[in-house]
Amino acid sequence: MSEMTEHNEQHQHEAEEAAAVETAETVETEQAELTYEELQARVTELEGQLKDSELRGLANEQNLRRRHQQEIADTHKFAGQKFAAEMLPVKDYLEMALLDQSGNFDALKMGVQMTLNELQKAFDATHIKEINPQPGDKLDPHQHQAMQAVVSEQEPNTIVSVMKKGYTLADRVLRPAMVVVAKKED
């Protein structure tokens, strides 16, 4: 009987081992399934966060673009504000000169000179500079416009006289100086 007991014990031991292996496999499978489900939930959560972050980024970009466009529009709208403010005293002086009924030519001349001084201050404050070439200077097509060519003893393509001064605004030509240039005899 001891052989039989031994055989039964061995059989029981084998059955217990088989049950333990089966239980372990079941637990691993359940853990794998839970892990997979947990991973799926985490992936979904991360996708949501990514989508939210992407939407916030797009909204921020749209706000920046809209703000930038508004700043550009405001800059264009008020670009002449400084110059306009500088011109107000000039207008005031001109109006006062027109209202003067005294007939005093010297007073009128002094008023015009004061007005011209105010205008020059406005030009200085807004970086408007004269282009006033001198006779004998070389013609610069970027700053001068030849209105007429005359036969002269001067070197060809040099300035003989200035018809109208030119002006620049911060190194950009507003109006070229209108000049008469020298040419050779035909």
Side-chain angles (χ1 to χ4, degrees), residues 57-83:
L58 287 173
N60 189 33
E61 185 180 328
Q62 284 178 335
N63 288 339
L64 286 173
R65 189 178 299 122
R66 191 176 316 119
R67 201 170 323 140
H68 181 67
Q69 288 172 342
Q70 183 61 45
E71 287 173 3
I72 289 172
D74 288 347
T75 299
H76 288 297
K77 184 177 179 180
F78 298 111
Q81 183 175 359
K82 181 178 180 182
F83 182 71

PDB file of all heavy atoms in Angstrom, residues 57-83:
ATOM      1  N   GLY A  57      -2.079  75.531 -29.152  1.00  0.00           N
ATOM      2  CA  GLY A  57      -1.017  76.099 -29.984  1.00  0.00           C
ATOM      3  C   GLY A  57      -1.588  76.830 -31.190  1.00  0.00           C
ATOM      4  O   GLY A  57      -1.152  77.933 -31.528  1.00  0.00           O
ATOM      5  N   LEU A  58      -2.564  76.222 -31.847  1.00  0.00           N
ATOM      6  CA  LEU A  58      -3.203  76.861 -33.005  1.00  0.00           C
ATOM      7  C   LEU A  58      -3.925  78.136 -32.597  1.00  0.00           C
ATOM      8  O   LEU A  58      -3.848  79.163 -33.301  1.00  0.00           O
ATOM      9  CB  LEU A  58      -4.175  75.893 -33.681  1.00  0.00           C
ATOM     10  CG  LEU A  58      -3.540  74.760 -34.474  1.00  0.00           C
ATOM     11  CD1 LEU A  58      -4.610  73.772 -34.942  1.00  0.00           C
ATOM     12  CD2 LEU A  58      -2.758  75.294 -35.657  1.00  0.00           C
ATOM     13  N   ALA A  59      -4.613  78.103 -31.477  1.00  0.00           N
ATOM     14  CA  ALA A  59      -5.320  79.292 -31.003  1.00  0.00           C
ATOM     15  C   ALA A  59      -4.331  80.405 -30.666  1.00  0.00           C
ATOM     16  O   ALA A  59      -4.556  81.573 -31.013  1.00  0.00           O
ATOM     17  CB  ALA A  59      -6.172  78.949 -29.774  1.00  0.00           C
ATOM     18  N   ASN A  60      -3.231  80.039 -30.025  1.00  0.00           N
ATOM     19  CA  ASN A  60      -2.202  81.023 -29.694  1.00  0.00           C
ATOM     20  C   ASN A  60      -1.614  81.637 -30.964  1.00  0.00           C
ATOM     21  O   ASN A  60      -1.417  82.845 -31.050  1.00  0.00           O
ATOM     22  CB  ASN A  60      -1.106  80.370 -28.851  1.00  0.00           C
ATOM     23  CG  ASN A  60      -0.129  81.369 -28.300  1.00  0.00           C
ATOM     24  OD1 ASN A  60      -0.475  82.495 -27.993  1.00  0.00           O
ATOM     25  ND2 ASN A  60       1.115  80.944 -28.173  1.00  0.00           N
ATOM     26  N   GLU A  61      -1.354  80.793 -31.960  1.00  0.00           N
ATOM     27  CA  GLU A  61      -0.814  81.274 -33.233  1.00  0.00           C
ATOM     28  C   GLU A  61      -1.794  82.227 -33.920  1.00  0.00           C
ATOM     29  O   GLU A  61      -1.394  83.271 -34.433  1.00  0.00           O
ATOM     30  CB  GLU A  61      -0.525  80.075 -34.143  1.00  0.00           C
ATOM     31  CG  GLU A  61       0.148  80.445 -35.441  1.00  0.00           C
ATOM     32  CD  GLU A  61       0.419  79.221 -36.303  1.00  0.00           C
ATOM     33  OE1 GLU A  61       0.668  78.132 -35.754  1.00  0.00           O
ATOM     34  OE2 GLU A  61       0.371  79.376 -37.532  1.00  0.00           O
ATOM     35  N   GLN A  62      -3.071  81.891 -33.907  1.00  0.00           N
ATOM     36  CA  GLN A  62      -4.086  82.774 -34.507  1.00  0.00           C
ATOM     37  C   GLN A  62      -4.146  84.108 -33.761  1.00  0.00           C
ATOM     38  O   GLN A  62      -4.256  85.165 -34.386  1.00  0.00           O
ATOM     39  CB  GLN A  62      -5.461  82.108 -34.483  1.00  0.00           C
ATOM     40  CG  GLN A  62      -5.625  81.032 -35.517  1.00  0.00           C
ATOM     41  CD  GLN A  62      -6.984  80.359 -35.425  1.00  0.00           C
ATOM     42  OE1 GLN A  62      -7.617  80.343 -34.364  1.00  0.00           O
ATOM     43  NE2 GLN A  62      -7.434  79.784 -36.523  1.00  0.00           N
ATOM     44  N   ASN A  63      -4.076  84.081 -32.450  1.00  0.00           N
ATOM     45  CA  ASN A  63      -4.096  85.316 -31.665  1.00  0.00           C
ATOM     46  C   ASN A  63      -2.886  86.183 -31.978  1.00  0.00           C
ATOM     47  O   ASN A  63      -3.010  87.400 -32.130  1.00  0.00           O
ATOM     48  CB  ASN A  63      -4.158  85.012 -30.168  1.00  0.00           C
ATOM     49  CG  ASN A  63      -5.505  84.479 -29.737  1.00  0.00           C
ATOM     50  OD1 ASN A  63      -6.512  84.683 -30.413  1.00  0.00           O
ATOM     51  ND2 ASN A  63      -5.534  83.779 -28.624  1.00  0.00           N
ATOM     52  N   LEU A  64      -1.702  85.565 -32.068  1.00  0.00           N
ATOM     53  CA  LEU A  64      -0.492  86.315 -32.402  1.00  0.00           C
ATOM     54  C   LEU A  64      -0.601  86.932 -33.792  1.00  0.00           C
ATOM     55  O   LEU A  64      -0.250  88.099 -33.994  1.00  0.00           O
ATOM     56  CB  LEU A  64       0.739  85.413 -32.334  1.00  0.00           C
ATOM     57  CG  LEU A  64       1.217  85.035 -30.933  1.00  0.00           C
ATOM     58  CD1 LEU A  64       2.332  83.993 -31.030  1.00  0.00           C
ATOM     59  CD2 LEU A  64       1.702  86.253 -30.184  1.00  0.00           C
ATOM     60  N   ARG A  65      -1.093  86.157 -34.747  1.00  0.00           N
ATOM     61  CA  ARG A  65      -1.246  86.658 -36.113  1.00  0.00           C
ATOM     62  C   ARG A  65      -2.232  87.826 -36.152  1.00  0.00           C
ATOM     63  O   ARG A  65      -1.976  88.850 -36.770  1.00  0.00           O
ATOM     64  CB  ARG A  65      -1.727  85.534 -37.034  1.00  0.00           C
ATOM     65  CG  ARG A  65      -1.701  85.918 -38.504  1.00  0.00           C
ATOM     66  CD  ARG A  65      -2.123  84.778 -39.425  1.00  0.00           C
ATOM     67  NE  ARG A  65      -1.233  83.636 -39.294  1.00  0.00           N
ATOM     68  CZ  ARG A  65      -1.628  82.412 -38.939  1.00  0.00           C
ATOM     69  NH1 ARG A  65      -2.879  82.164 -38.690  1.00  0.00           N
ATOM     70  NH2 ARG A  65      -0.759  81.435 -38.839  1.00  0.00           N
ATOM     71  N   ARG A  66      -3.355  87.695 -35.455  1.00  0.00           N
ATOM     72  CA  ARG A  66      -4.370  88.760 -35.423  1.00  0.00           C
ATOM     73  C   ARG A  66      -3.802  90.013 -34.760  1.00  0.00           C
ATOM     74  O   ARG A  66      -3.988  91.127 -35.244  1.00  0.00           O
ATOM     75  CB  ARG A  66      -5.602  88.262 -34.662  1.00  0.00           C
ATOM     76  CG  ARG A  66      -6.800  89.176 -34.797  1.00  0.00           C
ATOM     77  CD  ARG A  66      -8.066  88.630 -34.116  1.00  0.00           C
ATOM     78  NE  ARG A  66      -8.294  87.221 -34.356  1.00  0.00           N
ATOM     79  CZ  ARG A  66      -8.341  86.284 -33.399  1.00  0.00           C
ATOM     80  NH1 ARG A  66      -8.165  86.616 -32.138  1.00  0.00           N
ATOM     81  NH2 ARG A  66      -8.551  85.025 -33.696  1.00  0.00           N
ATOM     82  N   ARG A  67      -3.077  89.847 -33.655  1.00  0.00           N
ATOM     83  CA  ARG A  67      -2.475  90.980 -32.950  1.00  0.00           C
ATOM     84  C   ARG A  67      -1.445  91.675 -33.841  1.00  0.00           C
ATOM     85  O   ARG A  67      -1.383  92.898 -33.907  1.00  0.00           O
ATOM     86  CB  ARG A  67      -1.822  90.488 -31.658  1.00  0.00           C
ATOM     87  CG  ARG A  67      -1.633  91.582 -30.644  1.00  0.00           C
ATOM     88  CD  ARG A  67      -1.212  91.057 -29.281  1.00  0.00           C
ATOM     89  NE  ARG A  67      -1.859  89.796 -28.954  1.00  0.00           N
ATOM     90  CZ  ARG A  67      -1.267  88.775 -28.358  1.00  0.00           C
ATOM     91  NH1 ARG A  67      -0.015  88.856 -27.987  1.00  0.00           N
ATOM     92  NH2 ARG A  67      -1.909  87.666 -28.113  1.00  0.00           N
ATOM     93  N   HIS A  68      -0.640  90.880 -34.548  1.00  0.00           N
ATOM     94  CA  HIS A  68       0.370  91.436 -35.450  1.00  0.00           C
ATOM     95  C   HIS A  68      -0.291  92.231 -36.577  1.00  0.00           C
ATOM     96  O   HIS A  68       0.158  93.333 -36.917  1.00  0.00           O
ATOM     97  CB  HIS A  68       1.234  90.305 -36.018  1.00  0.00           C
ATOM     98  CG  HIS A  68       2.324  90.755 -36.925  1.00  0.00           C
ATOM     99  ND1 HIS A  68       3.392  91.494 -36.483  1.00  0.00           N
ATOM    100  CD2 HIS A  68       2.495  90.590 -38.253  1.00  0.00           C
ATOM    101  CE1 HIS A  68       4.190  91.756 -37.499  1.00  0.00           C
ATOM    102  NE2 HIS A  68       3.663  91.218 -38.584  1.00  0.00           N
ATOM    103  N   GLN A  69      -1.357  91.702 -37.146  1.00  0.00           N
ATOM    104  CA  GLN A  69      -2.063  92.412 -38.216  1.00  0.00           C
ATOM    105  C   GLN A  69      -2.660  93.720 -37.694  1.00  0.00           C
ATOM    106  O   GLN A  69      -2.637  94.739 -38.386  1.00  0.00           O
ATOM    107  CB  GLN A  69      -3.167  91.527 -38.807  1.00  0.00           C
ATOM    108  CG  GLN A  69      -2.625  90.407 -39.650  1.00  0.00           C
ATOM    109  CD  GLN A  69      -3.695  89.423 -40.082  1.00  0.00           C
ATOM    110  OE1 GLN A  69      -4.792  89.360 -39.514  1.00  0.00           O
ATOM    111  NE2 GLN A  69      -3.377  88.615 -41.076  1.00  0.00           N
ATOM    112  N   GLN A  70      -3.157  93.720 -36.465  1.00  0.00           N
ATOM    113  CA  GLN A  70      -3.710  94.938 -35.877  1.00  0.00           C
ATOM    114  C   GLN A  70      -2.610  95.972 -35.657  1.00  0.00           C
ATOM    115  O   GLN A  70      -2.806  97.151 -35.913  1.00  0.00           O
ATOM    116  CB  GLN A  70      -4.423  94.635 -34.556  1.00  0.00           C
ATOM    117  CG  GLN A  70      -5.094  95.837 -33.925  1.00  0.00           C
ATOM    118  CD  GLN A  70      -6.174  96.430 -34.804  1.00  0.00           C
ATOM    119  OE1 GLN A  70      -7.000  95.724 -35.369  1.00  0.00           O
ATOM    120  NE2 GLN A  70      -6.176  97.742 -34.955  1.00  0.00           N
ATOM    121  N   GLU A  71      -1.437  95.507 -35.186  1.00  0.00           N
ATOM    122  CA  GLU A  71      -0.313  96.427 -34.986  1.00  0.00           C
ATOM    123  C   GLU A  71       0.126  97.044 -36.309  1.00  0.00           C
ATOM    124  O   GLU A  71       0.428  98.231 -36.370  1.00  0.00           O
ATOM    125  CB  GLU A  71       0.856  95.702 -34.323  1.00  0.00           C
ATOM    126  CG  GLU A  71       0.627  95.390 -32.859  1.00  0.00           C
ATOM    127  CD  GLU A  71       1.732  94.528 -32.253  1.00  0.00           C
ATOM    128  OE1 GLU A  71       2.712  94.205 -32.957  1.00  0.00           O
ATOM    129  OE2 GLU A  71       1.590  94.180 -31.076  1.00  0.00           O
ATOM    130  N   ILE A  72       0.169  96.250 -37.369  1.00  0.00           N
ATOM    131  CA  ILE A  72       0.544  96.769 -38.686  1.00  0.00           C
ATOM    132  C   ILE A  72      -0.484  97.786 -39.160  1.00  0.00           C
ATOM    133  O   ILE A  72      -0.125  98.859 -39.657  1.00  0.00           O
ATOM    134  CB  ILE A  72       0.696  95.619 -39.703  1.00  0.00           C
ATOM    135  CG1 ILE A  72       1.951  94.807 -39.381  1.00  0.00           C
ATOM    136  CG2 ILE A  72       0.762  96.151 -41.133  1.00  0.00           C
ATOM    137  CD1 ILE A  72       2.095  93.546 -40.204  1.00  0.00           C
ATOM    138  N   ALA A  73      -1.764  97.468 -38.987  1.00  0.00           N
ATOM    139  CA  ALA A  73      -2.814  98.400 -39.396  1.00  0.00           C
ATOM    140  C   ALA A  73      -2.703  99.706 -38.613  1.00  0.00           C
ATOM    141  O   ALA A  73      -2.836 100.799 -39.195  1.00  0.00           O
ATOM    142  CB  ALA A  73      -4.194  97.763 -39.189  1.00  0.00           C
ATOM    143  N   ASP A  74      -2.456  99.623 -37.316  1.00  0.00           N
ATOM    144  CA  ASP A  74      -2.302 100.830 -36.497  1.00  0.00           C
ATOM    145  C   ASP A  74      -1.079 101.638 -36.921  1.00  0.00           C
ATOM    146  O   ASP A  74      -1.111 102.868 -36.952  1.00  0.00           O
ATOM    147  CB  ASP A  74      -2.206 100.476 -35.011  1.00  0.00           C
ATOM    148  CG  ASP A  74      -3.527 100.016 -34.422  1.00  0.00           C
ATOM    149  OD1 ASP A  74      -4.579 100.195 -35.088  1.00  0.00           O
ATOM    150  OD2 ASP A  74      -3.523  99.476 -33.304  1.00  0.00           O
ATOM    151  N   THR A  75      -0.005 100.939 -37.250  1.00  0.00           N
ATOM    152  CA  THR A  75       1.210 101.624 -37.692  1.00  0.00           C
ATOM    153  C   THR A  75       0.941 102.401 -38.981  1.00  0.00           C
ATOM    154  O   THR A  75       1.332 103.560 -39.105  1.00  0.00           O
ATOM    155  CB  THR A  75       2.358 100.612 -37.909  1.00  0.00           C
ATOM    156  OG1 THR A  75       2.623  99.963 -36.672  1.00  0.00           O
ATOM    157  CG2 THR A  75       3.613 101.297 -38.401  1.00  0.00           C
ATOM    158  N   HIS A  76       0.249 101.765 -39.928  1.00  0.00           N
ATOM    159  CA  HIS A  76      -0.091 102.462 -41.170  1.00  0.00           C
ATOM    160  C   HIS A  76      -1.032 103.635 -40.907  1.00  0.00           C
ATOM    161  O   HIS A  76      -0.864 104.715 -41.471  1.00  0.00           O
ATOM    162  CB  HIS A  76      -0.730 101.504 -42.172  1.00  0.00           C
ATOM    163  CG  HIS A  76       0.222 100.536 -42.780  1.00  0.00           C
ATOM    164  ND1 HIS A  76       1.279 100.912 -43.569  1.00  0.00           N
ATOM    165  CD2 HIS A  76       0.285  99.191 -42.708  1.00  0.00           C
ATOM    166  CE1 HIS A  76       1.949  99.861 -43.965  1.00  0.00           C
ATOM    167  NE2 HIS A  76       1.374  98.784 -43.443  1.00  0.00           N
ATOM    168  N   LYS A  77      -1.983 103.409 -40.043  1.00  0.00           N
ATOM    169  CA  LYS A  77      -2.996 104.428 -39.759  1.00  0.00           C
ATOM    170  C   LYS A  77      -2.377 105.668 -39.113  1.00  0.00           C
ATOM    171  O   LYS A  77      -2.753 106.791 -39.426  1.00  0.00           O
ATOM    172  CB  LYS A  77      -4.058 103.818 -38.833  1.00  0.00           C
ATOM    173  CG  LYS A  77      -5.223 104.711 -38.535  1.00  0.00           C
ATOM    174  CD  LYS A  77      -6.233 103.949 -37.675  1.00  0.00           C
ATOM    175  CE  LYS A  77      -7.421 104.786 -37.322  1.00  0.00           C
ATOM    176  NZ  LYS A  77      -8.381 104.038 -36.509  1.00  0.00           N
ATOM    177  N   PHE A  78      -1.407 105.456 -38.215  1.00  0.00           N
ATOM    178  CA  PHE A  78      -0.853 106.577 -37.458  1.00  0.00           C
ATOM    179  C   PHE A  78       0.588 106.915 -37.855  1.00  0.00           C
ATOM    180  O   PHE A  78       1.285 107.606 -37.116  1.00  0.00           O
ATOM    181  CB  PHE A  78      -0.922 106.269 -35.953  1.00  0.00           C
ATOM    182  CG  PHE A  78      -2.330 106.079 -35.472  1.00  0.00           C
ATOM    183  CD1 PHE A  78      -2.767 104.827 -35.071  1.00  0.00           C
ATOM    184  CD2 PHE A  78      -3.215 107.142 -35.437  1.00  0.00           C
ATOM    185  CE1 PHE A  78      -4.071 104.646 -34.632  1.00  0.00           C
ATOM    186  CE2 PHE A  78      -4.523 106.963 -35.000  1.00  0.00           C
ATOM    187  CZ  PHE A  78      -4.952 105.715 -34.602  1.00  0.00           C
ATOM    188  N   ALA A  79       1.031 106.443 -39.019  1.00  0.00           N
ATOM    189  CA  ALA A  79       2.412 106.672 -39.448  1.00  0.00           C
ATOM    190  C   ALA A  79       2.746 108.156 -39.544  1.00  0.00           C
ATOM    191  O   ALA A  79       3.850 108.572 -39.219  1.00  0.00           O
ATOM    192  CB  ALA A  79       2.665 105.991 -40.788  1.00  0.00           C
ATOM    193  N   GLY A  80       1.831 108.971 -39.974  1.00  0.00           N
ATOM    194  CA  GLY A  80       2.083 110.400 -40.143  1.00  0.00           C
ATOM    195  C   GLY A  80       1.760 111.233 -38.925  1.00  0.00           C
ATOM    196  O   GLY A  80       1.828 112.470 -38.983  1.00  0.00           O
ATOM    197  N   GLN A  81       1.442 110.603 -37.814  1.00  0.00           N
ATOM    198  CA  GLN A  81       1.010 111.334 -36.621  1.00  0.00           C
ATOM    199  C   GLN A  81       2.078 112.303 -36.129  1.00  0.00           C
ATOM    200  O   GLN A  81       1.784 113.457 -35.835  1.00  0.00           O
ATOM    201  CB  GLN A  81       0.637 110.353 -35.514  1.00  0.00           C
ATOM    202  CG  GLN A  81       0.118 111.027 -34.267  1.00  0.00           C
ATOM    203  CD  GLN A  81      -0.370 110.017 -33.230  1.00  0.00           C
ATOM    204  OE1 GLN A  81      -0.342 108.822 -33.453  1.00  0.00           O
ATOM    205  NE2 GLN A  81      -0.806 110.520 -32.101  1.00  0.00           N
ATOM    206  N   LYS A  82       3.322 111.865 -36.073  1.00  0.00           N
ATOM    207  CA  LYS A  82       4.394 112.735 -35.580  1.00  0.00           C
ATOM    208  C   LYS A  82       4.561 113.932 -36.501  1.00  0.00           C
ATOM    209  O   LYS A  82       4.655 115.076 -36.038  1.00  0.00           O
ATOM    210  CB  LYS A  82       5.700 111.946 -35.467  1.00  0.00           C
ATOM    211  CG  LYS A  82       6.852 112.775 -34.929  1.00  0.00           C
ATOM    212  CD  LYS A  82       8.114 111.952 -34.783  1.00  0.00           C
ATOM    213  CE  LYS A  82       9.238 112.815 -34.232  1.00  0.00           C
ATOM    214  NZ  LYS A  82      10.477 112.090 -34.121  1.00  0.00           N
ATOM    215  N   PHE A  83       4.590 113.672 -37.801  1.00  0.00           N
ATOM    216  CA  PHE A  83       4.759 114.763 -38.754  1.00  0.00           C
ATOM    217  C   PHE A  83       3.563 115.719 -38.681  1.00  0.00           C
ATOM    218  O   PHE A  83       3.737 116.941 -38.695  1.00  0.00           O
ATOM    219  CB  PHE A  83       4.922 114.223 -40.175  1.00  0.00           C
ATOM    220  CG  PHE A  83       5.154 115.297 -41.182  1.00  0.00           C
ATOM    221  CD1 PHE A  83       6.353 115.989 -41.211  1.00  0.00           C
ATOM    222  CD2 PHE A  83       4.180 115.634 -42.111  1.00  0.00           C
ATOM    223  CE1 PHE A  83       6.585 116.990 -42.137  1.00  0.00           C
ATOM    224  CE2 PHE A  83       4.398 116.637 -43.027  1.00  0.00           C
ATOM    225  CZ  PHE A  83       5.608 117.320 -43.046  1.00  0.00           C
TER     226      PHE A  83
END
